[in-house]
Amino acid sequence: MPEMPEVEGLVQFLREHTAGRAVAAVEVGAISALKTFSPAPTALVRRVVRDVTRHGKWLDIATVAGAAAPEADDGELHLVFHLAKAGWLRWYDEVPKTTVKPGRSPIALRVRLDDGAGFDLTEAGTRKRLAVHVVADPQDVPQVATLGVEPADLTLEGLRGLLAARNQQIKGLLRDQSVIAGIGNAYSDEILHAARMSPFALTKTFDDDASARLHAAIGEVLTAAVAEAAGRPAAELKDAKRRGMRVHGRTGLPCPVCGDTVREVSFADSALQYCPTCQTGGKPLADRRMSKLLK
């Protein structure tokens, strides 16, 4: 799943390539991806892209009425979308001439611009979770309105307050979008490795030193990842993310810090990775799913 650094990379790329361009056409390939129906996606046609921004893992393309659409009102209209677990954005310098046919391809939405460029929102697999909203205000999207603090705005005191608010596993707190916006499964693994913390550590056990280490790790990991994503074309962002991982997605490989073998804990639809030496005092964490298989 694209997380805050990759989404920020997409924001920078789209801002550079779409700002000032008018929307020439919008084609829907998957009705299930549309979460709003009024205004319709076609209401974006002939409007001009004013800016591209981000809210957590949500991308926001803001459009305004242009000279080509004098009948449009003066307010903004936003294309707000979440790529979910298996979604991605495919950019074209020249969009294919073929028309998108609903249900015939992975394409959920195609946007054509007036210079011939544009992009597809695609989603692989059978579990369709990609979400597209067309709204006058991004705060009209419930998942955007309820987002927590952006990592860049999270102070040490603010983090201490979040840790003390309720007792839960730190991995879960880092992934909770209503608490901290933009961190998902991959970067929470990386942050906890950098902070030398067990993903199952309970938040109310954190003392001042642990809180400070976690705060520093959040800043260091995400700042480095955003820098790695900056300026890259959309097609390169996934590979750049994988190359930057120290533990996530590296089960069975040596930890780059201590050389111990990276371990995994599996859940129903996800898994976490960690280094026992760096994070859990050398003790492997119980993997409930694997334990059941071995019985």
Side-chain angles (χ1 to χ4, degrees):
M1 176 185 292
E3 298 179 34
M4 186 274 279
E6 295 77 51
V7 175
E8 182 62 31
L10 287 172
V11 164
Q12 294 177 21
F13 179 86
L14 286 174
R15 182 182 293 139
E16 178 182 349
H17 288 78
T18 66
R21 308 310 316 174
V23 177
V26 179
E27 301 168 29
V28 177
I31 297 296
S32 61
L34 291 180
K35 307 306 177 184
T36 55
F37 302 97
S38 181
T42 52
L44 296 165
V45 174
R46 295 197 295 169
R47 297 178 68 91
V48 174
V49 176
R50 183 189 64 79
D51 197 8
V52 183
T53 54
R54 176 186 60 78
H55 314 280
K57 302 176 192 178
W58 292 79
L59 285 98
D60 176 3
I61 300 178
T63 69
V64 294
E71 75 282 1
D73 62 54
D74 293 332
E76 291 188 341
L77 202 56
H78 297 252
L79 176 63
V80 182
F81 54 95
H82 191 290
L83 295 169
K85 189 171 184 177
W88 195 241
L89 185 145
R90 180 188 300 161
W91 176 262
Y92 300 99
D93 290 330
E94 187 70 35
V95 179
K97 302 297 185 184
T98 54
T99 301
V100 174
K101 296 182 179 180
R104 299 287 184 90
S105 76
I107 300 171
L109 191 80
R110 171 169 288 174
V111 175
R112 300 176 185 269
L113 302 175
D114 60 356
D115 61 352
F119 60 88
D120 289 341
L121 301 183
T122 66
E123 187 170 24
T126 58
R127 302 182 69 179
K128 303 301 184 183
R129 296 180 177 176
L130 189 146
V132 177
H133 300 248
V134 180
V135 291
D137 185 335
Q139 293 298 311
D140 292 339
V141 180
Q143 296 91 332
V144 171
T146 57
L147 285 173
V149 62
E150 286 283 342
D153 299 326
L154 180 61
T155 65
L156 177 55
E157 284 306 309
L159 177 60
R160 286 174 175 155
L162 296 177
L163 293 169
R166 56 184 177 181
N167 200 24
Q168 66 180 115
Q169 293 175 350
I170 186 57
K171 171 82 173 178
L173 181 140
L174 290 174
R175 294 187 63 187
D176 188 338
Q177 299 303 294
S178 68
V179 178
I180 304 174
I183 301 173
N185 193 35
Y187 287 107
S188 58
D189 282 352
E190 295 298 299
I191 288 166
L192 292 171
H193 179 257
R196 304 180 72 87
M197 293 175 177
S198 167
F200 293 166
L202 295 175
T203 56
K204 284 197 174 180
T205 67
F206 279 49
D207 57 17
D208 287 347
D209 176 67
S211 300
R213 282 191 289 122
L214 180 62
H215 185 262
I218 292 171
E220 290 166 5
V221 168
L222 296 181
T223 298
V226 169
E228 181 66 23
R232 291 186 179 274
E236 297 181 8
L237 288 171
K238 288 184 180 181
D239 287 341
K241 176 181 180 179
R242 281 190 285 266
R243 286 195 301 269
M245 295 293 157
R246 293 188 170 193
V247 290
H248 184 78
R250 292 176 52 84
T251 303
L253 297 175
C255 168
V257 174
C258 71
D260 194 0
T261 301
V262 174
R263 304 287 189 103
E264 177 175 295
V265 177
S266 301
F267 302 98
D269 59 355
S270 66
L272 66 81
Q273 287 82 41
Y274 69 100
C275 170
T277 295
C278 291
Q279 296 175 252
T280 60
K283 298 178 181 179
L285 298 171
D287 186 344
R288 297 177 181 86
R289 191 167 74 169
M290 289 304 297
S291 298
K292 290 179 181 179
L293 292 173
L294 293 172
K295 286 183 179 179

